[in-house]
Amino acid sequence: MIQVTKTYLPDFDTYVSFLKKAWDRAWITNHGPLVIELEEKLKEKLSIPNFLYTSNGTVVLQMALKVYGITKEVVTTPFSYVATTNAILWENCTPVFADILPTSLCIDPDSIERKITENTQAILATHVYGYPCDVDKIETLANKYNLKVIYDAAHAFGAEYKGKSLLSFGDISTCSFHATKIFHTVEGGCIVANDTEVYEKLKLMRSFGHIGDDYYCLGINAKNSEFHAAMGLSIFPDIENIIAKRKFIIEHYKTKLSSTHITFPQSELPFKSNYAYFPVLFNDENTLLKIRKALMNADVNTRRYFYPSLNNLPYIDEPVSCPNSDELSKRVLCLPLYYDLELDQIDNISAIINSTLM
Ligand SMILES: *Cc1c(COP(=O)(O)O)cnc(C)c1O
């Protein structure tokens, strides 16, 4: 079976050598030396000083809303992983769905503006597949209406816009280092705040809101362990190699997928891709289902990522329609993409797709 993704694992002995350090110290969590070392390396790599390594990429979305005291409406994208919407609902805020751009599948700034009311407090947008949201237009809106901007940058590790990591935009950006993501620590994530006071508060919130006997604010447990950091430190030296390999795979796919019935999401903005996913758009849902079945019969798994459009989740109180997202979520399929996917496997997958579309 070819899976749609496969976790990148480092050299086993390298991982064990990091574990051994934690073992010898008998210090396996609570801001241990490995967590601190990983955090420093990532800060430097991304050129982001206000960076916090955390337990996952969902709790940080909740912390982002919490740290600004957001309690009302949050304009958000319907085209993302469910965690984006869940975080808003979990924090008892109201998600207000703006539509997406048919090109990049990221949130449409004009649609955001139409959804802003007197109750809007924040914008929570996702850099889908590592493609940048229109961060400049969104910043202009945020300034005009006095809103906080939070980016779910779970897909964006390694992607750059204007020569800077995508994680450096907005008031706060979050990322996920889950095992399926481009850089991972088994489970893990991070949160970045541009304002240093906010960063300091998030740092307290990550660890129950207190330091020793001094209690400062409401907090939660969002810290990560030495074992997780050990995985990150083992993979860290391979990051550029992982991204380059994925670029090579996607370029190979594109030379093989010859059918004119296929298109790919496209960004209007100049950016440096991290090749995190390989999304393909078909003409309609029936074609997608046919392709998916043909691939499944050949033991190739694909993922409807993202479907359904989040405005259609069963626990949304007042469903709204987002025509672009409703439509595109039915037509997009992510094809297998991982470090050691082989060229002849890509050739096979492409041949099945080409012949099914004929
Ligand atoms: C993976 C993902 C998350 C959640 O990250 P976890 O680390 O699994 O909690 C949130 N948003 C998006 C867009 C994701 O892809």
Side-chain angles (χ1 to χ4, degrees):
M1 188 76 174
I2 297 179
Q3 293 298 348
V4 69
T5 186
K6 185 173 154 192
T7 296
Y8 179 88
L9 288 174
D11 174 63
F12 186 68
D13 292 335
T14 305
Y15 184 54
V16 171
S17 72
F18 281 111
L19 285 187
K20 178 83 171 58
K21 294 185 191 183
W23 225 270
D24 290 346
R25 285 189 283 258
W27 185 357
I28 60 172
T29 190
N30 284 4
H31 315 297
L34 296 180
V35 161
I36 289 166
E37 187 182 341
L38 179 64
E39 213 167 53
E40 289 306 317
K41 285 199 152 137
L42 290 170
K43 275 183 195 181
E44 198 191 312
K45 174 159 183 65
L46 300 168
S47 301
I48 295 177
N50 291 347
F51 174 102
L52 296 165
Y53 176 54
T54 62
S55 52
N56 61 65
T58 301
V59 69
V60 281
L61 290 168
Q62 294 165 223
M63 285 163 63
L65 294 166
K66 191 74 97 188
V67 77
Y68 287 125
I70 309 285
T71 54
K72 298 179 191 165
E73 291 176 8
V74 179
V75 178
T76 190
T77 178
F79 192 77
S80 181
Y81 183 57
V82 68
T84 316
T85 300
N86 283 356
I88 297 170
L89 291 167
W90 200 272
E91 290 302 318
N92 285 320
C93 303
T94 307
V96 176
F97 294 100
D99 209 349
I100 57 170
L101 295 163
T103 41
S104 65
L105 312 193
C106 290
I107 199 164
D108 175 356
D110 294 333
S111 180
I112 296 178
E113 188 160 21
R114 288 193 293 272
K115 298 287 178 159
I116 292 171
T117 72
E118 60 194 10
N119 290 322
T120 310
Q121 295 177 306
I123 297 166
L124 172 49
T126 302
H127 302 299
V128 184
Y129 310 129
Y131 293 25
C133 293
D134 194 331
V135 293
D136 302 313
K137 277 196 190 160
I138 291 172
E139 188 180 334
T140 305
L141 285 177
N143 291 336
K144 184 169 163 192
Y145 295 99
N146 193 24
L147 307 174
K148 297 297 176 199
V149 179
I150 301 162
Y151 286 113
D152 181 342
H155 296 178
F157 184 86
E160 292 179 9
Y161 178 60
K162 293 185 169 171
K164 293 199 299 188
S165 164
L166 262 187
L167 272 68
S168 56
F169 294 90
D171 294 296
I172 287 182
S173 283
T174 64
C175 191
S176 167
F177 303 141
H178 181 258
T180 54
K181 303 297 203 270
I182 197 153
F183 167 72
H184 81 91
T185 66
V186 188
E187 295 275 353
C190 70
I191 186 163
V192 165
N194 275 318
D195 182 287
T196 298
E197 264 177 50
V198 174
Y199 160 77
E200 292 296 342
K201 183 145 185 216
L202 287 167
K203 197 171 179 175
L204 283 167
M205 285 173 85
R206 173 176 67 170
S207 195
F208 306 101
H210 75 102
I211 301 173
D213 290 340
D214 297 319
Y215 290 76
Y216 297 95
C217 62
L218 178 66
I220 196 161
N221 182 2
K223 57 193 157 49
N224 214 334
S225 82
E226 293 293 273
F227 288 14
H228 293 84
M231 180 61 82
L233 287 166
S234 308
I235 296 177
F236 185 84
D238 304 342
I239 290 172
E240 292 310 320
N241 190 21
I242 292 170
I243 293 176
K245 186 69 194 299
R246 298 172 81 100
K247 174 173 194 265
F248 175 76
I249 289 171
I250 288 181
E251 283 170 356
H252 188 73
Y253 260 124
K254 287 191 170 172
T255 64
K256 295 286 165 177
L257 286 170
S258 53
S259 173
T260 51
H261 298 293
I262 291 177
T263 56
F264 306 104
Q266 218 99 53
S267 178
E268 292 101 347
L269 304 171
F271 78 111
K272 186 165 161 252
S273 177
N274 60 358
Y275 306 93
Y277 298 88
F278 186 45
V280 174
L281 284 162
F282 297 102
N283 287 344
D284 51 60
E285 188 176 21
N286 276 340
T287 310
L288 177 145
L289 294 172
K290 231 167 84 181
I291 298 280
R292 194 163 194 232
K293 196 164 161 216
L295 289 169
M296 193 54 92
N297 288 339
D299 274 342
V300 176
N301 209 356
T302 55
R303 186 165 179 206
R304 297 192 75 179
Y305 199 64
F306 301 102
Y307 176 84
S309 184
L310 298 171
N311 50 311
N312 300 319
L313 285 170
Y315 45 86
I316 296 291
D317 283 342
E318 288 168 49
V320 292
S321 96
C322 296
N324 287 343
S325 185
D326 290 342
E327 153 82 8
L328 290 156
S329 61
K330 291 180 182 154
R331 291 170 37 207
V332 67
L333 193 66
C334 282
L335 299 184
L337 172 61
Y338 49 85
Y339 183 80
D340 50 2
L341 186 65
E342 287 163 17
L343 291 187
D344 61 345
Q345 294 176 317
I346 298 168
D347 295 349
N348 277 341
I349 293 167
S350 305
I352 292 167
I353 294 174
N354 289 336
S355 67
T356 311
L357 287 175
M358 275 209 301

